């Protein structure tokens, strides 16, 4: 059971907008810890997608955006493309555990 | 170009030991905290250790504390993970990752390609 909860799967048609939620608690996201997102394409290592809640590393398209409110965060992908089909993970810091923690991951399917 | 290359994975019997290495290049290794993250087959990501930039501080989650030891050699730009008393549930792809930001803001901006550890008799 992950400390951060994500839906196991989401799907959308090309060109559509999808959102992936990441629900935490008062000891992580709600305590003010930043939320970060990673994309893992099939058979590859994770790649940083969003850091510090809503910043994008250079090279990441602005179709990807992040937001955070209360004890939750979201990753939004607009103009969905076939190449976006991947697993997505949120990550934060939990002050009760004293550890960095990941969500369980969400598999995005582009229909 | 920033690059992290893991090595040392393989097949080990339950109760055995293994040492993983992660060779870094393309950045000043001694300026960054480094981490190990693992991924069991078909499962999600799990953070398993951190070492500070100078090697003076280490952190582990309860799942591996007392069995795994993270260390680094800044003169060789290399990160290590010594794993002991290995269990079948330790079987995973092990990634090294570079850390950025303070504790509550920490994220992993660069990842290696991973090395597979198989624990089986």
């Amino acid at each position: 059971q992950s400390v951060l909860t994500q839906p196991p799967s989401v799907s959308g048609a090309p060109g559509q907008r999808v959102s992936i939620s990441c629900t935490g608690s008062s000891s992580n996201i709600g305590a003010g810890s930043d939320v970060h997102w990673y994309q893992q394409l099939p058979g590859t290592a994770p790649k940083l997608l969003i850091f510090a809640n809503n910043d994008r590393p250079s090279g990441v398209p602005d179709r990807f955006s992040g937001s955070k409110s209360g004890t939750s965060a979201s990753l939004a992908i607009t103009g969905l493309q076939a190449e976006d089909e991947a697993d997505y993970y949120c990550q934060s810091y939990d002050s009760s555990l004293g550890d960095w923690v990941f969500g369980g991951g969400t598999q995005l399917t582009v229909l | 170009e920033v690059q992290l290359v893991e090595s040392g994975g393989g097949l080990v019997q339950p109760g055995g030991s293994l040492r993983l290495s992660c060779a870094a290049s393309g950045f000043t290794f001694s300026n960054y905290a480094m981490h190990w993250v693992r991924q069991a087959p078909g499962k999600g990501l799990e953070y398993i250790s951190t070492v500070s930039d100078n090697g003076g501080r280490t952190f582990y989650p309860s799942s591996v504390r007392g069995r795994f030891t993270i260390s680094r050699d800044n003169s060789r730009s290399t990160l290590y993970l010594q794993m002991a008393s290995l269990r079948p549930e330790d079987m995973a792809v092990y990634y090294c990752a570079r850390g950025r930001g303070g504790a509550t803001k920490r994220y992993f901006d660069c990842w290696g390609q991973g090395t597979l550890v198989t624990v089986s008799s």
Side-chain angles (χ1 to χ4, degrees):
Chain A
Q1 193 78 352
S2 301
V3 172
L4 303 178
T5 301
Q6 297 180 232
S9 63
V10 298
S11 62
Q16 284 190 332
R17 177 187 186 276
V18 297
S19 177
I20 299 172
S21 62
C22 175
T23 303
S25 68
S26 59
S27 63
N28 42 68
I29 300 174
S33 295
D34 281 356
V35 179
H36 321 288
W37 292 89
Y38 303 85
Q39 177 192 59
Q40 186 175 33
L41 297 170
T44 70
K47 168 193 165 186
L48 179 66
L49 195 64
I50 297 287
F51 67 98
N53 307 314
N54 54 17
D55 284 333
R56 284 185 308 277
S58 60
V60 173
D62 59 6
R63 301 187 296 105
F64 296 90
S65 63
S67 63
K68 172 188 160 183
S69 178
T71 59
S72 296
S74 289
L75 172 71
I77 310 172
T78 59
L80 205 57
Q81 300 179 4
E83 66 204 49
D84 299 333
E85 194 159 280
D87 293 326
Y88 293 84
Y89 295 89
C90 61
Q91 175 251 315
S92 188
Y93 176 78
D94 190 281
S95 58
S96 292
L97 296 172
D99 290 332
W100 293 280
V101 292
F102 289 93
T106 298
Q107 183 177 55
L108 169 63
T109 300
V110 180
L111 302 171
Chain B
E1 178 196 3
V2 173
Q3 196 168 16
L4 299 170
V5 179
E6 300 94 337
S7 61
L11 175 63
V12 60
Q13 291 187 337
S17 299
L18 203 62
R19 188 177 85 155
L20 306 182
S21 299
C22 170
S25 60
F27 65 100
T28 305
F29 183 69
S30 58
N31 285 353
Y32 295 86
M34 296 296 295
H35 307 262
W36 288 96
V37 176
R38 70 184 179 185
Q39 185 171 35
K43 302 297 184 182
L45 302 173
E46 180 188 10
Y47 156 77
I48 57 168
S49 61
T50 295
V51 62
S52 61
D53 53 5
N54 64 6
R57 292 178 299 164
T58 57
F59 304 93
Y60 309 90
S62 57
S63 58
V64 303
R65 192 176 300 132
R67 300 188 301 122
F68 289 11
T69 303
I70 189 173
S71 62
R72 64 192 296 161
D73 184 340
N74 284 346
S75 68
R76 296 178 182 270
S77 296
T78 303
L79 176 72
Y80 302 101
L81 184 68
Q82 179 70 48
M83 303 183 294
S85 302
L86 283 162
R87 307 165 179 168
E89 56 264 35
D90 294 318
M91 184 165 72
V93 174
Y94 285 72
Y95 296 101
C96 64
R98 189 175 75 172
R100 302 290 299 274
T104 64
K105 300 182 183 299
R106 180 69 49 86
Y107 58 95
F108 312 116
D109 69 336
C110 299
W111 298 65
Q113 86 288 351
T115 188
L116 176 63
V117 173
T118 302
V119 184
S120 175
S121 53

